[in-house]
Amino acid sequence: MARSVWPLFALAAGILALTGCGVVERPQRPAWRAHAENICLSQKRVRVSSYIQATKAIDGPSICGLEHPFHLTALQEGAVTLKGKQTLGCPMIAALDQWLAQVVQPAAMQRFGQPVVELTPVHTFACRPANNRPGARLSEHSFGNATDIGGFRLADGRQIVILRDWSHGGEAERAFLRETIRSEEHTSELQS
């Protein structure tokens, strides 16, 4: 019995030695991701506030994570709240803010005569494959660079829910969703 354990022990010791020498390394997140975060921060595209708080780096699992994540509770200088605290990176926060200013708010004013005051995000940071398909590449959610929007709340309290209103909403709601969602698919990666 003792003889059969030694080969396994020797193999385990060899693997540990190789790991310690750096021969077997953990995969690394591509350097361009941290570079993109740093550029966004250096351009001051996102500023810490009562609704955007810097938090500690997220490292893993696997290559998932962010160097400079933020916890987010509102956008548009606090005018558009988010249901729940979301974890995103600087480039995604800046893209969301721009999408709200250039697409969502003008569409809401045109269709409803009032602004959007709340977004209902469904998913932000999560280390997972794209579309939750086993074997698929990692989703941009894995890097704090994507969010799925479930709906909008207007200033008068009216809720526009994507799953319900995309097909079954009134004409204004359907047009608003098609205008805002189609636009975001072409201007930033809000969904993965």
Side-chain angles (χ1 to χ4, degrees):
M1 175 96 176
R3 272 181 124 159
S4 64
V5 174
W6 281 106
L8 293 175
F9 178 74
L11 179 63
I15 290 172
L16 285 174
L18 289 174
T19 302
C21 294
V23 173
V24 179
E25 292 185 22
R26 177 177 173 249
Q28 297 295 309
R29 197 168 30 256
W32 68 264
R33 291 193 178 277
H35 185 68
E37 286 183 77
N38 290 332
I39 288 172
C40 182
L41 292 169
S42 71
Q43 293 174 346
K44 299 185 182 338
R45 295 182 65 204
V46 170
R47 297 176 196 267
V48 172
S49 66
S50 60
Y51 48 87
I52 300 175
Q53 295 290 310
T55 187
K56 65 181 181 171
I58 301 171
D59 188 25
S62 179
I63 64 169
C64 299
L66 296 99
E67 296 293 318
H68 306 286
F70 291 91
H71 286 157
L72 179 70
T73 58
L75 291 159
Q76 301 286 276
E77 298 182 17
V80 179
T81 61
L82 304 174
K83 275 199 167 178
K85 180 170 49 176
Q86 308 300 310
T87 302
L88 292 168
C90 181
M92 189 64 214
I93 294 170
L96 275 172
D97 224 28
Q98 181 178 2
W99 174 66
L100 279 166
Q102 295 177 358
V103 177
V104 174
Q105 296 300 22
M109 294 305 293
Q110 178 187 5
R111 303 281 178 202
F112 309 112
Q114 58 188 310
V116 166
V117 296
E118 184 179 68
L119 288 179
T120 306
V122 180
H123 299 287
T124 56
F125 178 79
C127 188
R128 65 173 178 82
N131 299 317
N132 288 313
R133 285 190 330 256
R137 67 171 172 73
L138 284 175
S139 167
E140 285 300 309
H141 288 84
S142 303
F143 307 103
N145 201 31
T147 188
D148 297 327
I149 305 298
F152 306 84
R153 184 169 58 84
L154 300 174
D156 68 0
R158 183 180 342 172
Q159 298 282 338
I160 301 170
V161 180
I162 293 172
L163 287 177
R164 177 191 70 208
D165 295 326
W166 185 264
S167 299
H168 303 295
E171 185 178 323
E173 287 82 1
R174 290 192 321 268
F176 170 78
L177 289 174
R178 281 165 176 68
E179 184 176 338
T180 57
I181 301 304
R182 285 204 176 114
S183 171
E184 63 83 5
E185 289 173 349
H186 298 292
T187 60
S188 65
E189 187 166 358
L190 294 177
Q191 295 185 4
S192 175

